[in-house]
Structures are given as structure tokens and as C-alpha cells.
Amino acid sequence: MRILFFTEGTRPEPWLDGFRCELPGAQVEFWQPGAAPADYAVVWHPPQQLLDEQRELKAVFNMGAGVDALTKLKFPDGVALVRLEDAGMSVQMAEFVCHAVFRHFREFDVYEREAAHAKWAFRRPNRRSEFTVGVMGLGVLGATVAQAVARFDYPVLGWSRSPRDVPGVRCYSGEAGLRDFLAATRILVCLLPLTSQTENIMNRETLSRLAPGGYVINVARGAHLVDEDLIALLDSGHLAGATLDVFRTEPLPPEHPFWRHPKITVTPHTSARTLRDESIAQIARKILAMERGEPIGGVVDLERGY
Ligand SMILES: NC(=O)c1ccc[n+]([C@@H]2O[C@H](COP(=O)([O-])OP(=O)(O)OC[C@H]3O[C@@H](n4cnc5c(N)ncnc54)[C@H](OP(=O)(O)O)[C@@H]3O)[C@@H](O)[C@H]2O)c1
């Protein structure tokens, strides 16, 4: 069996060694133009040339949960595109989102600023019942995040394409459910895949529907959010703030207004990192299952885009 590996910006050796260790007998190499045909490719942001040249692939494994970088390419017919399912990401995502929710609700950002001036002052406690958290996307990550937040007794809502049932979460679905979901949400968390249907979904119109004092946490993709609409609603006072981990252009350019906006917290696409050992183990397990002719999870529906 031949496996090609391709990524930019990550040292390939530990990945190659990891796959060799999990799949002894497999030939595992870093992809170079003109490489001999392989059975599987494990990639992050591959060039179109890799897909065009490799005509014997059975599957392409994406080293992340979101496949928008791959669905933009011309994907060969009959080749499965497989994404990571959790692989240690959902607990990181729950940690990140809970932290952002707590920081806003308990006003830890205000306490931090005041501590810098040795100011000892209590703030009036906020009412948890008034800080409903709405999670857009109730998949592998969104459902875990929604349940983690619900454990702290915030009212939690969820929104997905098809109807879902997540214990402890009031679920809405489809276009018809979006209006009610937004109107009842104060802290909006985006955990949708980026598709033609979800691009720009957080815009002036949808964000205006959030309950007053709305807060936005975007941990999905930068193109879900219309940057200037967020800034306008923060400046008008309709929204209270935002924690943003993902951006249309990454790294976020130094001149981008998000960096300096007093109501925006920026993190460098770090909410849920791809963990090497967990990812290698999951992909190796799926390759072995495919070799045995068994079905695997995480196969992307290219028509749907996720
Ligand atoms: N910032 C980071 O570090 C980071 C890390 C990992 C992932 N991510 C992002 O997180 C996203 C979600 O990952 P996941 O593993 O949870 O994906 P997933 O399991 O595929 O779940 C996607 C969810 O979004 C819903 N959805 C899709 N299209 C929709 C639409 N048009 N309207 C309403 N709901 C829609 C799906 O609805 P159904 O349930 O009906 O299918 C599903 O509930 C990824 O695509 C990626 O962009 C970010």
C-alpha cells in the first residue's frame, strides 16, 4: 500500500514516522510532483496538481474537520474525501467556547483591565437566564460544545440543517428555524462547515436579530462572518463583543481593524488544533477498514459540501 502525505507549514517527518509506525508495511512518503501513483493521500491544503496527477487514489484524508479548502478544488470522481471526526478536537473546542462564554458573562475581561490598575471592585452578577447561548451547527463539534455549555446551566439552543435531538439543548433546524433561533440567542457560537449555503451567514441582517447585548464567537471559518457588518453592529451598540478565532485572510493582516477593536478578542485559529497522534490513529484505522472493505465514518458528501 502506498500513502502520500502533503501539508504546508507542518514538519512532515513526525507524521510520516507516525503513519509508518501505525501501518507497518505501507510505503509512506511526502508528495512531490510526479510521484508514483498511491492508494491514499493524507493532506492539508493540497495543490490541485496532487489530485490531478494521482489517478489511483481510493481516498483522500483531510487533516482537519472542515473540508472547504478541498471542496474548492476539482475533486476526482469516485475518490472518497474523508475528514477528521473529533480526533481530540471537540474537547478543545468545548474548552475554548466555554472560556469565551465565561469570560464575557463573568466579565473577566473587565476584571483583568481593572487589576492592571490595582482596582478592587465587584461587578453586579449577571443573570445566567438572560445569557442564552445559541450554537449554529450541531455536528461532532457543535453538539459537544452545546452540551458542555449547558452543564453550566446557561440556557442553550442549537441550530442545524436537519432536525437534531441533543439532550439539554433546545434544537431548531433549517431556514424556518433560523429566525426563532437567532431571536432567542444572546451569545452566538458558529460551528458550521463553510459551504455555499453558510458563507456570510453572520451578516447585518442575521446578527441584528440577536437579543440585545449579543455576543459572537466564531470558531468555524472566517467567511461565515461579514467583517464590516460585525464592526457596524458593535459600534452601534447592538452587539456587546466578539471572540474570533478564524478569519477570511489568515494570518489576520496587521492592518485589519479586528486587531485593535476594543470589543473584539482575536486568537490565531487555535480553538481546536489537529492533534498528531489522535489524527494518525484515526486515519490509519479508517485505511485498514477500507482495505478490509468495511464502511468508514467521516466521508464527505461533496454535493452537500460537508
Ligand atoms: N477553528 C478551528 O480550529 C476549527 C477546528 C475544527 C473544525 N472547525 C470548523 O468546525 C466545523 C464543524 O465541524 P464538525 O466536525 O462539527 O462538522 P459536522 O459534524 O459536519 O457538523 C456540521 C453541522 O453543521 C450543520 N449544517 C451544515 N450546513 C448547514 C446549513 N446550511 N444550515 C444549518 N446547519 C448546517 C450540520 O447539520 P446536520 O446535522 O443537519 O448535518 C451539522 O449539524 C468544520 O467544518 C470547520 O469549519 C474549526
Side-chain angles (χ1 to χ4, degrees):
M1 182 203 310
R2 242 174 89 69
I3 301 173
L4 290 174
F5 179 80
F6 179 85
T7 174
E8 272 175 345
T10 304
R11 223 162 51 83
E13 289 79 15
W15 285 86
L16 298 174
D17 291 345
F19 280 112
R20 288 177 188 133
C21 188
E22 288 279 339
L23 298 167
Q27 213 185 325
V28 190
E29 280 167 27
F30 193 80
W31 176 78
Q32 305 282 0
D39 304 287
Y40 298 99
V42 179
V43 300
W44 183 244
H45 287 265
Q48 180 68 50
Q49 191 182 357
L50 188 157
L51 299 177
D52 290 345
E53 283 186 9
Q54 289 293 320
R55 310 307 295 184
E56 293 177 27
L57 292 173
K58 298 176 201 167
V60 173
F61 289 88
N62 184 46
M63 288 162 62
V67 290
D68 41 290
L70 274 149
T71 52
K72 272 192 219 125
L73 300 179
K74 197 176 163 313
F75 207 78
D77 288 340
V79 180
L81 170 57
V82 189
R83 66 191 199 87
L84 282 183
E85 294 173 287
D86 198 333
M89 278 188 274
S90 71
V91 67
Q92 297 180 68
M93 206 48 113
E95 215 166 49
F96 185 98
V97 171
C98 284
H99 175 269
V101 169
F102 302 161
R103 182 166 173 264
H104 175 56
F105 173 68
R106 297 289 306 269
E107 301 184 84
F108 291 137
D109 48 346
V110 180
Y111 284 117
E112 256 168 47
R113 283 199 296 274
E114 294 186 346
H117 302 284
K119 182 174 172 189
W120 179 283
F122 298 112
R123 301 187 65 77
R124 193 159 46 83
N126 282 316
R127 284 197 189 89
R128 204 171 294 264
S129 58
E130 292 173 1
F131 281 71
T132 299
V133 178
V135 181
M136 290 202 286
L138 288 175
V140 175
L141 303 181
T144 303
V145 164
Q147 289 190 292
V149 174
R151 232 164 273 143
F152 290 90
D153 288 347
Y154 295 92
V156 180
L157 317 177
W159 181 67
S160 53
R161 200 175 52 92
S162 52
R164 296 268 153 189
D165 183 14
V166 181
V169 178
R170 182 144 46 100
C171 295
Y172 299 78
S173 63
E175 276 305 306
L178 185 59
R179 181 178 281 268
D180 290 345
F181 165 83
L182 290 171
T185 292
R186 177 147 176 190
I187 302 182
L188 181 68
V189 179
C190 182
L191 265 167
L192 291 167
L194 182 62
T195 66
S196 54
Q197 287 186 7
T198 64
E199 191 169 0
N200 299 327
I201 192 162
M202 289 182 286
N203 54 49
R204 186 184 289 268
E205 197 245 318
T206 52
L207 295 179
S208 299
R209 291 204 212 136
L210 293 178
Y215 193 91
V216 174
I217 301 174
N218 189 14
V219 280
R221 287 291 182 264
H224 284 126
L225 175 68
V226 179
D227 296 2
E228 49 279 19
D229 289 358
L230 174 73
I231 290 177
L233 289 167
L234 288 169
D235 291 346
S236 74
H238 183 75
L239 294 180
T243 291
L244 307 176
D245 185 52
V246 287
F247 306 93
R248 284 176 183 266
T249 306
E250 295 184 0
L252 184 64
E255 65 281 6
H256 197 288
F258 283 170
W259 281 116
R260 276 165 292 278
H261 198 287
K263 294 181 179 173
I264 296 178
T265 300
V266 167
T267 52
H269 200 145
T270 195
S271 50
R273 306 289 296 271
T274 293
L275 301 179
R276 191 171 61 227
D277 293 351
E278 286 82 344
S279 305
I280 290 172
Q282 182 176 112
I283 294 170
R285 249 193 333 269
K286 289 184 181 179
I287 288 177
L288 290 174
M290 283 186 74
E291 288 295 298
R292 291 192 299 269
E294 295 167 5
I296 58 165
V299 178
V300 172
D301 178 337
L302 290 167
E303 205 53 24
R304 221 174 49 167
Y306 72 100

Short mmCIF file of all heavy atoms in Angstrom, two decimals, residues 65-68 83-86 89 93 136-142 159-164 174 191-195 197-198 201 219-221 224 245-246 269-273 304 306, ligand 1:
data_model
loop_
_atom_site.label_atom_id
_atom_site.label_comp_id
_atom_site.label_asym_id
_atom_site.label_seq_id
_atom_site.Cartn_x
_atom_site.Cartn_y
_atom_site.Cartn_z
N ALA A 65 -11.24 18.93 10.38
CA ALA A 65 -12.66 18.60 10.33
C ALA A 65 -13.34 19.31 9.17
O ALA A 65 -14.28 18.80 8.56
CB ALA A 65 -13.32 18.98 11.65
N GLY A 66 -12.88 20.52 8.85
CA GLY A 66 -13.50 21.32 7.78
C GLY A 66 -12.82 21.03 6.45
O GLY A 66 -11.59 21.02 6.37
N VAL A 67 -13.62 20.81 5.42
CA VAL A 67 -13.05 20.40 4.13
C VAL A 67 -13.18 21.48 3.06
O VAL A 67 -13.00 21.20 1.88
CB VAL A 67 -13.70 19.09 3.63
CG1 VAL A 67 -13.30 17.90 4.47
CG2 VAL A 67 -15.23 19.23 3.56
N ASP A 68 -13.49 22.72 3.46
CA ASP A 68 -13.76 23.77 2.47
C ASP A 68 -12.57 24.00 1.54
O ASP A 68 -12.76 24.33 0.37
CB ASP A 68 -14.18 25.06 3.16
CG ASP A 68 -13.36 25.35 4.40
OD1 ASP A 68 -13.53 24.61 5.40
OD2 ASP A 68 -12.55 26.28 4.38
N ARG A 83 -12.95 13.34 6.26
CA ARG A 83 -12.50 14.38 7.17
C ARG A 83 -12.19 13.78 8.54
O ARG A 83 -12.57 12.63 8.81
CB ARG A 83 -13.58 15.45 7.30
CG ARG A 83 -14.83 14.91 7.96
CD ARG A 83 -15.98 15.86 7.88
NE ARG A 83 -16.99 15.51 8.88
CZ ARG A 83 -16.97 15.97 10.12
NH1 ARG A 83 -16.02 16.79 10.52
NH2 ARG A 83 -17.91 15.62 10.97
N LEU A 84 -11.54 14.55 9.38
CA LEU A 84 -11.32 14.09 10.75
C LEU A 84 -12.63 14.21 11.52
O LEU A 84 -13.36 15.20 11.37
CB LEU A 84 -10.27 14.95 11.46
CG LEU A 84 -8.80 14.69 11.13
CD1 LEU A 84 -7.93 15.59 12.00
CD2 LEU A 84 -8.40 13.23 11.34
N GLU A 85 -12.92 13.21 12.32
CA GLU A 85 -14.11 13.26 13.18
C GLU A 85 -13.61 13.34 14.62
O GLU A 85 -13.09 12.36 15.15
CB GLU A 85 -14.93 11.99 13.01
CG GLU A 85 -15.55 11.83 11.64
CD GLU A 85 -16.18 10.47 11.51
OE1 GLU A 85 -15.44 9.48 11.38
OE2 GLU A 85 -17.42 10.39 11.55
N ASP A 86 -13.73 14.51 15.17
CA ASP A 86 -13.30 14.78 16.53
C ASP A 86 -11.77 14.65 16.66
O ASP A 86 -11.07 15.65 16.64
CB ASP A 86 -14.03 13.87 17.55
CG ASP A 86 -13.92 14.42 18.96
OD1 ASP A 86 -12.94 15.13 19.24
OD2 ASP A 86 -14.80 14.15 19.78
N MET A 89 -10.52 17.04 18.96
CA MET A 89 -10.85 18.45 18.74
C MET A 89 -12.06 18.92 19.54
O MET A 89 -12.14 20.08 19.92
CB MET A 89 -11.09 18.70 17.25
CG MET A 89 -9.80 18.90 16.49
SD MET A 89 -10.06 19.42 14.80
CE MET A 89 -10.25 17.86 14.00
N MET A 93 -12.51 22.39 21.59
CA MET A 93 -13.48 23.38 21.15
C MET A 93 -14.41 23.75 22.32
O MET A 93 -14.74 24.92 22.51
CB MET A 93 -14.28 22.78 19.99
CG MET A 93 -14.86 23.75 19.04
SD MET A 93 -13.72 25.01 18.49
CE MET A 93 -13.52 24.63 16.78
N MET A 136 -24.69 27.38 16.31
CA MET A 136 -25.05 27.07 14.92
C MET A 136 -24.16 25.92 14.46
O MET A 136 -22.93 26.05 14.45
CB MET A 136 -24.77 28.27 14.01
CG MET A 136 -25.71 29.41 14.23
SD MET A 136 -25.76 30.51 12.77
CE MET A 136 -24.22 31.32 12.94
N GLY A 137 -24.79 24.80 14.10
CA GLY A 137 -24.03 23.60 13.73
C GLY A 137 -24.03 22.66 14.91
O GLY A 137 -23.44 22.96 15.96
N LEU A 138 -24.73 21.54 14.76
CA LEU A 138 -24.83 20.56 15.87
C LEU A 138 -24.20 19.24 15.45
O LEU A 138 -24.76 18.17 15.66
CB LEU A 138 -26.29 20.35 16.26
CG LEU A 138 -26.95 21.51 17.00
CD1 LEU A 138 -28.43 21.25 17.22
CD2 LEU A 138 -26.26 21.78 18.34
N GLY A 139 -23.02 19.35 14.82
CA GLY A 139 -22.33 18.14 14.40
C GLY A 139 -21.43 17.63 15.51
O GLY A 139 -21.71 17.82 16.70
N VAL A 140 -20.34 16.98 15.10
CA VAL A 140 -19.41 16.38 16.06
C VAL A 140 -18.94 17.43 17.07
O VAL A 140 -18.93 17.19 18.29
CB VAL A 140 -18.19 15.79 15.30
CG1 VAL A 140 -17.15 15.27 16.27
CG2 VAL A 140 -18.65 14.69 14.35
N LEU A 141 -18.57 18.61 16.59
CA LEU A 141 -18.04 19.63 17.49
C LEU A 141 -19.16 20.43 18.15
O LEU A 141 -19.15 20.64 19.37
CB LEU A 141 -17.09 20.57 16.73
CG LEU A 141 -15.92 19.89 16.02
CD1 LEU A 141 -15.04 20.91 15.31
CD2 LEU A 141 -15.08 19.08 17.01
N GLY A 142 -20.13 20.87 17.35
CA GLY A 142 -21.19 21.73 17.88
C GLY A 142 -21.99 21.07 18.99
O GLY A 142 -22.31 21.70 20.01
N TRP A 159 -28.80 24.93 16.34
CA TRP A 159 -29.42 25.04 15.02
C TRP A 159 -28.64 24.18 14.02
O TRP A 159 -27.40 24.22 14.00
CB TRP A 159 -29.44 26.48 14.54
CG TRP A 159 -30.08 26.68 13.20
CD1 TRP A 159 -31.40 26.51 12.89
CD2 TRP A 159 -29.44 27.09 11.99
NE1 TRP A 159 -31.62 26.79 11.57
CE2 TRP A 159 -30.42 27.15 10.99
CE3 TRP A 159 -28.13 27.42 11.67
CZ2 TRP A 159 -30.16 27.52 9.67
CZ3 TRP A 159 -27.84 27.79 10.35
CH2 TRP A 159 -28.86 27.84 9.37
N SER A 160 -29.35 23.38 13.25
CA SER A 160 -28.69 22.52 12.26
C SER A 160 -29.53 22.47 10.99
O SER A 160 -30.63 23.03 10.94
CB SER A 160 -28.50 21.11 12.82
OG SER A 160 -29.75 20.63 13.28
N ARG A 161 -29.00 21.80 9.97
CA ARG A 161 -29.72 21.73 8.69
C ARG A 161 -30.92 20.80 8.82
O ARG A 161 -32.04 21.14 8.52
CB ARG A 161 -28.76 21.22 7.61
CG ARG A 161 -29.16 21.51 6.20
CD ARG A 161 -28.05 21.06 5.27
NE ARG A 161 -27.70 19.68 5.56
CZ ARG A 161 -28.24 18.62 4.99
NH1 ARG A 161 -29.16 18.77 4.04
NH2 ARG A 161 -27.86 17.41 5.32
N SER A 162 -30.66 19.59 9.36
CA SER A 162 -31.77 18.64 9.57
C SER A 162 -32.08 18.60 11.07
O SER A 162 -31.22 18.95 11.89
CB SER A 162 -31.37 17.26 9.07
OG SER A 162 -30.13 16.88 9.64
N PRO A 163 -33.29 18.18 11.45
CA PRO A 163 -33.64 18.19 12.87
C PRO A 163 -32.71 17.28 13.68
O PRO A 163 -32.39 16.18 13.25
CB PRO A 163 -35.08 17.64 12.87
CG PRO A 163 -35.56 17.81 11.48
CD PRO A 163 -34.38 17.74 10.57
N ARG A 164 -32.27 17.77 14.82
CA ARG A 164 -31.37 17.02 15.72
C ARG A 164 -31.99 16.96 17.09
O ARG A 164 -32.78 17.83 17.46
CB ARG A 164 -30.01 17.71 15.84
CG ARG A 164 -29.24 17.78 14.58
CD ARG A 164 -28.31 16.59 14.43
NE ARG A 164 -28.06 16.31 13.02
CZ ARG A 164 -27.45 15.24 12.58
NH1 ARG A 164 -27.03 14.33 13.42
NH2 ARG A 164 -27.26 15.07 11.29
N GLY A 174 -33.10 24.12 9.92
CA GLY A 174 -33.47 24.65 8.61
C GLY A 174 -33.73 26.15 8.61
O GLY A 174 -33.69 26.81 9.65
N LEU A 191 -20.35 27.05 14.58
CA LEU A 191 -19.61 25.80 14.35
C LEU A 191 -20.17 25.07 13.13
O LEU A 191 -20.35 23.86 13.13
CB LEU A 191 -19.65 24.92 15.60
CG LEU A 191 -18.42 25.12 16.50
CD1 LEU A 191 -18.60 24.50 17.85
CD2 LEU A 191 -17.15 24.62 15.82
N LEU A 192 -20.43 25.88 12.09
CA LEU A 192 -20.95 25.33 10.83
C LEU A 192 -19.78 25.00 9.91
O LEU A 192 -18.72 25.62 10.00
CB LEU A 192 -21.81 26.39 10.14
CG LEU A 192 -23.15 26.74 10.78
CD1 LEU A 192 -23.69 28.02 10.14
CD2 LEU A 192 -24.14 25.59 10.62
N PRO A 193 -19.98 24.08 8.98
CA PRO A 193 -18.99 23.94 7.91
C PRO A 193 -19.16 25.10 6.94
O PRO A 193 -20.26 25.66 6.84
CB PRO A 193 -19.37 22.62 7.26
CG PRO A 193 -20.81 22.42 7.56
CD PRO A 193 -21.12 23.17 8.83
N LEU A 194 -18.10 25.46 6.23
CA LEU A 194 -18.23 26.53 5.24
C LEU A 194 -18.68 25.93 3.92
O LEU A 194 -17.96 25.15 3.30
CB LEU A 194 -16.88 27.25 5.06
CG LEU A 194 -16.92 28.42 4.08
CD1 LEU A 194 -17.88 29.51 4.54
CD2 LEU A 194 -15.52 28.99 3.88
N THR A 195 -19.90 26.27 3.51
CA THR A 195 -20.46 25.79 2.24
C THR A 195 -21.10 26.99 1.54
O THR A 195 -21.19 28.08 2.13
CB THR A 195 -21.56 24.72 2.48
OG1 THR A 195 -22.67 25.37 3.13
CG2 THR A 195 -21.08 23.58 3.35
N GLN A 197 -24.05 27.47 1.22
CA GLN A 197 -25.24 27.88 1.98
C GLN A 197 -24.90 28.65 3.25
O GLN A 197 -25.72 29.38 3.79
CB GLN A 197 -26.05 26.65 2.37
CG GLN A 197 -26.78 26.06 1.21
CD GLN A 197 -27.70 24.93 1.63
OE1 GLN A 197 -27.89 24.66 2.81
NE2 GLN A 197 -28.25 24.24 0.66
N THR A 198 -23.71 28.42 3.79
CA THR A 198 -23.40 29.02 5.09
C THR A 198 -22.43 30.20 4.99
O THR A 198 -22.19 30.88 5.98
CB THR A 198 -22.80 27.97 6.07
OG1 THR A 198 -21.54 27.53 5.53
CG2 THR A 198 -23.72 26.79 6.26
N ILE A 201 -23.11 33.84 6.55
CA ILE A 201 -24.37 33.63 7.30
C ILE A 201 -24.49 34.59 8.48
O ILE A 201 -25.59 34.94 8.90
CB ILE A 201 -24.51 32.16 7.75
CG1 ILE A 201 -25.92 31.88 8.25
CG2 ILE A 201 -23.47 31.76 8.78
CD1 ILE A 201 -26.28 30.42 8.30
N VAL A 219 -15.78 30.21 15.66
CA VAL A 219 -14.70 29.23 15.72
C VAL A 219 -14.79 28.29 14.51
O VAL A 219 -14.22 27.20 14.53
CB VAL A 219 -14.74 28.42 17.04
CG1 VAL A 219 -14.13 29.19 18.18
CG2 VAL A 219 -16.16 27.99 17.39
N ALA A 220 -15.53 28.71 13.47
CA ALA A 220 -15.72 27.82 12.32
C ALA A 220 -14.81 28.26 11.17
O ALA A 220 -13.69 27.75 11.04
CB ALA A 220 -17.18 27.80 11.92
N ARG A 221 -15.26 29.21 10.37
CA ARG A 221 -14.43 29.74 9.28
C ARG A 221 -14.69 31.24 9.16
O ARG A 221 -15.82 31.71 9.37
CB ARG A 221 -14.78 29.06 7.95
CG ARG A 221 -14.30 27.62 7.83
CD ARG A 221 -12.79 27.50 7.73
NE ARG A 221 -12.32 26.15 7.56
CZ ARG A 221 -11.90 25.36 8.56
NH1 ARG A 221 -11.88 25.80 9.80
NH2 ARG A 221 -11.47 24.14 8.31
N HIS A 224 -17.71 32.81 7.22
CA HIS A 224 -19.08 32.77 7.75
C HIS A 224 -19.54 34.16 8.18
O HIS A 224 -20.73 34.42 8.31
CB HIS A 224 -19.16 31.85 8.99
CG HIS A 224 -19.13 30.40 8.66
ND1 HIS A 224 -18.24 29.52 9.21
CD2 HIS A 224 -19.91 29.66 7.84
CE1 HIS A 224 -18.47 28.30 8.74
NE2 HIS A 224 -19.48 28.36 7.90
N ASP A 245 -11.78 33.47 16.21
CA ASP A 245 -10.61 32.59 16.09
C ASP A 245 -10.24 32.35 14.63
O ASP A 245 -9.16 31.83 14.35
CB ASP A 245 -10.93 31.25 16.78
CG ASP A 245 -9.73 30.32 16.81
OD1 ASP A 245 -8.66 30.76 17.27
OD2 ASP A 245 -9.86 29.16 16.38
N VAL A 246 -11.16 32.69 13.72
CA VAL A 246 -10.97 32.37 12.30
C VAL A 246 -11.30 33.60 11.46
O VAL A 246 -12.16 34.40 11.83
CB VAL A 246 -11.88 31.19 11.90
CG1 VAL A 246 -11.37 29.87 12.47
CG2 VAL A 246 -13.32 31.42 12.34
N HIS A 269 -6.57 31.18 15.09
CA HIS A 269 -7.08 29.89 14.61
C HIS A 269 -6.51 28.73 15.46
O HIS A 269 -5.85 27.84 14.94
CB HIS A 269 -6.72 29.69 13.13
CG HIS A 269 -7.61 28.65 12.46
ND1 HIS A 269 -8.02 28.75 11.16
CD2 HIS A 269 -8.16 27.50 12.93
CE1 HIS A 269 -8.78 27.70 10.85
NE2 HIS A 269 -8.87 26.92 11.92
N THR A 270 -6.81 28.82 16.72
CA THR A 270 -6.21 27.86 17.64
C THR A 270 -7.24 27.16 18.52
O THR A 270 -6.89 26.42 19.42
CB THR A 270 -5.15 28.60 18.50
OG1 THR A 270 -4.33 27.63 19.14
CG2 THR A 270 -5.78 29.53 19.53
N SER A 271 -8.54 27.41 18.23
CA SER A 271 -9.57 26.88 19.14
C SER A 271 -9.55 25.36 19.23
O SER A 271 -9.76 24.80 20.30
CB SER A 271 -10.96 27.38 18.73
OG SER A 271 -11.17 27.17 17.36
N ALA A 272 -9.31 24.67 18.12
CA ALA A 272 -9.20 23.20 18.17
C ALA A 272 -8.13 22.79 17.18
O ALA A 272 -8.34 22.81 15.97
CB ALA A 272 -10.53 22.55 17.82
N ARG A 273 -6.98 22.46 17.71
CA ARG A 273 -5.85 22.11 16.85
C ARG A 273 -5.94 20.64 16.43
O ARG A 273 -6.49 19.82 17.16
CB ARG A 273 -4.53 22.33 17.61
CG ARG A 273 -4.39 23.74 18.20
CD ARG A 273 -4.18 24.77 17.12
NE ARG A 273 -2.93 24.53 16.43
CZ ARG A 273 -1.76 25.04 16.82
NH1 ARG A 273 -1.70 25.83 17.88
NH2 ARG A 273 -0.65 24.77 16.15
N ARG A 304 -23.27 18.15 -0.91
CA ARG A 304 -23.70 18.96 0.23
C ARG A 304 -22.60 19.93 0.67
O ARG A 304 -22.86 20.97 1.25
CB ARG A 304 -23.97 17.97 1.38
CG ARG A 304 -25.14 18.19 2.24
CD ARG A 304 -25.33 17.05 3.23
NE ARG A 304 -24.13 16.67 3.97
CZ ARG A 304 -24.12 15.88 5.04
NH1 ARG A 304 -25.25 15.38 5.50
NH2 ARG A 304 -23.00 15.57 5.64
N TYR A 306 -20.11 19.15 2.90
CA TYR A 306 -19.54 18.87 4.22
C TYR A 306 -19.80 17.42 4.59
O TYR A 306 -20.54 16.73 3.89
CB TYR A 306 -20.09 19.81 5.28
CG TYR A 306 -21.53 19.57 5.70
CD1 TYR A 306 -21.84 18.88 6.88
CD2 TYR A 306 -22.60 20.03 4.93
CE1 TYR A 306 -23.16 18.66 7.26
CE2 TYR A 306 -23.90 19.84 5.30
CZ TYR A 306 -24.18 19.15 6.47
OH TYR A 306 -25.48 18.94 6.85
N1 LIG B 1 -11.30 26.88 14.45
C1 LIG B 1 -10.83 25.66 14.43
O1 LIG B 1 -9.73 25.42 14.94
C2 LIG B 1 -11.67 24.55 13.85
C3 LIG B 1 -11.29 23.22 14.10
C4 LIG B 1 -12.09 22.20 13.61
C5 LIG B 1 -13.23 22.49 12.89
N2 LIG B 1 -13.58 23.78 12.67
C6 LIG B 1 -14.82 24.10 11.91
O2 LIG B 1 -15.92 23.47 12.55
C7 LIG B 1 -16.81 22.99 11.55
C8 LIG B 1 -17.74 21.93 12.12
O3 LIG B 1 -17.06 20.72 12.37
P1 LIG B 1 -17.85 19.38 12.75
O4 LIG B 1 -16.85 18.29 12.81
O5 LIG B 1 -18.71 19.62 13.93
O6 LIG B 1 -18.79 19.23 11.44
P2 LIG B 1 -20.05 18.28 11.22
O7 LIG B 1 -20.00 17.13 12.17
O8 LIG B 1 -20.11 18.00 9.76
O9 LIG B 1 -21.30 19.17 11.64
C9 LIG B 1 -21.78 20.21 10.87
C10 LIG B 1 -23.08 20.74 11.46
O10 LIG B 1 -23.46 21.91 10.74
C11 LIG B 1 -24.81 21.73 10.28
N3 LIG B 1 -25.02 22.41 9.00
C12 LIG B 1 -24.36 22.25 7.82
N4 LIG B 1 -24.90 23.03 6.87
C13 LIG B 1 -25.92 23.70 7.45
C14 LIG B 1 -26.85 24.64 6.97
N5 LIG B 1 -26.86 25.06 5.71
N6 LIG B 1 -27.76 25.12 7.84
C15 LIG B 1 -27.79 24.68 9.13
N7 LIG B 1 -26.92 23.79 9.65
C16 LIG B 1 -26.00 23.30 8.81
C17 LIG B 1 -24.98 20.24 10.10
O11 LIG B 1 -26.36 19.94 10.06
P3 LIG B 1 -26.87 18.42 10.02
O12 LIG B 1 -26.69 17.93 11.46
O13 LIG B 1 -28.28 18.50 9.62
O14 LIG B 1 -25.98 17.69 9.05
C18 LIG B 1 -24.23 19.72 11.34
O15 LIG B 1 -25.06 19.79 12.47
C19 LIG B 1 -15.85 22.50 10.46
O16 LIG B 1 -16.48 22.40 9.21
C20 LIG B 1 -14.78 23.56 10.48
O17 LIG B 1 -15.14 24.61 9.59
C21 LIG B 1 -12.81 24.81 13.13
#
